[in-house]
Amino acid sequence: MGFVTWLAKLDRRWIFLAMGLLVLGPLIRPLSLPLTVSRPVQGFVNAIDAVPHGSTVLMSCDYDPASIPEMVPMTRTAFRHLLSRDCRVVITCLWAGGSGLIDSVLTEGAREFPSKSYGQDWVNLGYKSGNEAVMVVMGQGIINAFPRDFRGNACETLPIMRSVRNYSSFPLLVNISAGYPGTKEWVQQVQARFHLPMVAGVTAVSAPEYYPYLQAGQLQGLLGGMAGAAEYETLVKAPGLATRGMDAQSLAHIFIALMILLGNLAALPQRSSGGKS
Amino acid sequence: MHLSTDLGVWIAALLTLGILSFLYKDNPAYKLCEHLFVGVSAGYYVVLNYFSVVKPNLLDKLFGPGPDYFLIVPLILGVLLFSRFFPKGDWLSRWSIALILGVYPALRITGFGQGDFVEQIHGSMLPLWVPGNPAATVNNWLLIGGLLATLIFFFFSKEHKGALGGTAKVGVYFLMVSFGASYGYTVMARISLLIGRVMFLLHDWLGVLHL
């Protein structure tokens, strides 16, 4: 009983401290805990691997700096994966705060492929306001919605855009999204209406919302949060930031599960006394 | 250890520590960081939206070479939205709001109808017997049973008693499982943010972590 009373009165700052140490420790000294690849992530990789070499793929990165730890590893790995398969990539962004960040991530990723050039093998069309309206306008013509790219070039002058008309020009849509507008809107406005095959990488907090799309075959693959990003990095043999963070993630989850059990144990006497009264 | 010499990194690191200091207790450093965040974010998004929305989509096309005078219509509709600040003329904003309310529900309803309503019903029409694959058979039974039980839980036209009440209770258990999954994913999202900040402090600021 003494332990339960002590637990009920424990200052929550000790829990914060323990959580901080559990995150800090594995980042400094990695534990290399095993990582199992789930079916949704395998589906994501299979969908990209099924795209014929030389195809032009649409990639929409809809997030801002608030979700860097989850979204950037996905963006980086998907972009590398596509370029390594000789795909050409057309990138768009529907979040005002994300266009600069996304451009820096893509530029850094493209440096690993010296033979790939901007405008020829990939282009960042930048941000466009309008949410679902932009998606619908893109269906009539990508250049109608994005007359200029992020760097101010007229899109019609870029070699990569010569073969791009509308959604029918792409065999796959890769969406990396942190909320609205994002995966849900791409499914509703583009996948369902234009029948464009689609995969998505989403924040963990929103991932459960997208499993029905995966089950119904509207999404061919799904990356959920940092774990999804880490599994993706493992599958394509390119460990990065997400893989590095997974030891800390796993320990933090075990700790929280333990705290939930102990918290319920500490609350038992209060509940039983409440029941009597 | 390679301490950063970048002023921006130092400012970001100190602001991160200031925000995290709230975990100990509320303090002036946290308040300063919080107010800075609110103020800088508001200013940043105003400027960002001016340069990425208003200027390229309206001003450049209206006042640049070969002006498109049709854009005066959205300009007026946009300006009318600000009439909400003036009680005597706030009715003027209804014209703009009416247009927004006309266009967006139409877009979203058609999208929802095609993407969610029809496709999700289609996705739940599964075979209850998959020859040679007992796991798929069990999964399909679980999905359809869970779907029906949950739908019955939200059926309020008859009191939840007897068979209806029992099925609704099963629906509650399915809902509980989905809430648990959502909670687990939410924890992962929040821990990811903490990991991101700790990585920033260790790698970009202190230089003790090599990625």
Side-chain angles (χ1 to χ4, degrees):
Chain A
M1 204 62 178
F3 174 69
V4 173
T5 313
W6 173 81
L7 204 61
K9 290 181 179 174
L10 181 68
D11 190 331
R12 66 175 67 183
R13 286 176 292 192
W14 288 111
I15 297 173
F16 297 153
L17 180 66
M19 176 63 81
L21 292 174
L22 281 171
V23 167
L24 195 66
L27 286 177
I28 294 171
R29 279 191 183 278
L31 306 170
S32 304
L33 295 172
L35 197 63
T36 313
V37 176
S38 58
R39 198 181 292 175
V41 178
Q42 185 68 58
F44 189 102
V45 174
N46 291 348
I48 291 184
D49 285 343
V51 172
H53 286 266
S55 304
T56 307
V57 173
L58 177 63
M59 186 171 168
S60 185
C61 301
D62 306 320
Y63 57 87
D64 64 11
S67 31
I68 285 176
E70 292 178 287
M71 300 284 98
V72 166
M74 292 178 191
T75 307
R76 195 173 282 160
T77 314
F79 185 56
R80 280 179 186 152
H81 190 187
L82 288 165
L83 287 185
S84 68
R85 290 190 51 78
D86 284 332
C87 291
R88 289 178 292 176
V89 194
V90 174
I91 299 108
T92 61
C93 174
L94 299 178
W95 284 41
S99 53
L101 164 71
I102 290 155
D103 194 65
S104 64
V105 171
L106 298 172
T107 306
E108 187 192 319
R111 277 197 204 112
E112 294 171 26
F113 299 86
S115 61
K116 308 285 182 189
S117 61
Y118 184 84
Q120 179 81 43
D121 299 291
W122 69 282
V123 63
N124 179 10
L125 299 183
Y127 164 69
K128 187 76 177 177
S129 65
N131 307 334
E132 292 100 323
V134 178
M135 298 174 188
V136 175
V137 172
M138 285 171 74
Q140 293 154 10
I142 306 297
I143 291 181
N144 295 358
F146 292 89
R148 292 192 174 274
D149 71 353
F150 182 73
R151 301 177 184 188
N153 305 307
C155 282
E156 58 198 8
T157 64
L158 298 169
I160 186 173
M161 296 303 287
R162 283 182 199 145
S163 61
V164 172
R165 292 194 315 279
N166 49 33
Y167 291 124
S168 64
S169 308
F170 306 111
L172 184 70
L173 162 63
V174 180
N175 177 230
I176 310 290
S177 143
Y180 175 82
T183 300
K184 193 180 190 69
E185 289 67 38
W186 282 106
V187 168
Q188 290 178 345
Q189 302 295 338
V190 179
Q191 188 278 328
R193 194 176 289 187
F194 297 93
H195 306 291
L196 177 61
M198 181 177 166
V199 291
V202 299
T203 51
V205 74
S206 65
E209 197 181 340
Y210 303 118
Y211 273 88
Y213 292 140
L214 190 71
Q215 187 273 331
Q218 292 169 279
L219 290 178
Q220 297 189 356
L222 182 69
L223 309 177
M226 186 179 268
E231 290 172 33
Y232 186 22
E233 287 176 353
T234 306
L235 263 182
V236 297
K237 296 180 176 61
L241 288 177
T243 309
R244 189 69 189 263
M246 276 313 288
D247 286 344
Q249 185 77 254
S250 303
L251 290 189
H253 273 248
I254 292 168
F255 180 67
I256 287 173
L258 190 68
M259 286 299 108
I260 290 170
L261 285 174
L262 290 176
N264 277 282
L265 186 68
L268 270 180
Q270 293 169 7
R271 280 184 195 169
S272 55
S273 65
K276 279 172 193 168
S277 65
Chain B
M1 184 167 167
H2 300 285
L3 210 60
S4 173
T5 52
D6 186 331
L7 181 63
V9 170
W10 271 85
I11 292 171
L14 294 177
L15 289 173
T16 299
L17 293 175
I19 291 290
L20 289 176
S21 70
F22 182 78
L23 293 174
Y24 182 70
K25 66 175 183 181
D26 201 358
N27 62 77
Y30 169 74
K31 283 266 186 274
L32 174 73
C33 298
E34 188 186 34
H35 287 90
L36 267 175
F37 177 72
V38 173
V40 171
S41 299
Y44 175 71
Y45 274 94
V46 167
V47 174
L48 189 69
N49 277 298
Y50 173 76
F51 283 105
S52 58
V53 180
V54 180
K55 192 172 177 290
N57 295 334
L58 181 69
L59 301 181
D60 287 352
K61 289 179 181 172
L62 194 56
F63 301 112
D68 180 0
Y69 291 113
F70 177 74
L71 290 172
I72 290 172
V73 177
L75 172 65
I76 291 169
L77 287 169
V79 171
L80 286 181
L81 277 174
F82 289 95
S83 68
R84 292 184 70 81
F85 294 123
F86 308 101
K88 281 186 180 174
D90 63 351
W91 60 273
L92 287 166
S93 65
R94 291 181 198 158
W95 291 84
S96 318
I97 292 170
L99 184 78
I100 295 167
L101 286 180
V103 171
Y104 269 85
L107 273 176
R108 299 200 76 170
I109 288 169
T110 50
F112 176 81
Q114 286 176 300
D116 280 335
F117 190 69
V118 174
E119 288 295 329
Q120 286 302 308
I121 290 174
H122 184 245
S124 61
M125 291 177 181
L126 298 167
L128 293 176
W129 175 250
V130 186
N133 194 345
T137 303
V138 172
N139 274 343
N140 292 353
W141 272 96
L142 269 176
L143 195 145
I144 292 167
L147 173 69
L148 293 176
T150 310
L151 282 174
I152 284 170
F153 172 72
F154 288 105
F155 179 72
F156 301 117
S157 298
K158 199 168 184 290
E159 198 177 350
H160 286 183
K161 276 183 176 174
L164 191 74
T167 314
K169 201 163 189 178
V170 174
V172 172
Y173 292 132
F174 275 97
L175 282 173
M176 289 295 179
V177 171
S178 79
F179 294 153
S182 294
Y183 176 75
Y185 266 115
T186 305
V187 167
M188 181 158 74
R190 303 301 174 233
I191 298 296
S192 299
L193 296 181
L194 176 63
I195 291 169
R197 282 294 83 195
V198 173
M199 275 184 177
F200 166 76
L201 292 174
L202 295 179
H203 177 257
D204 297 22
W205 184 43
L206 297 175
V208 294
L209 183 69
H210 302 288
L211 298 172

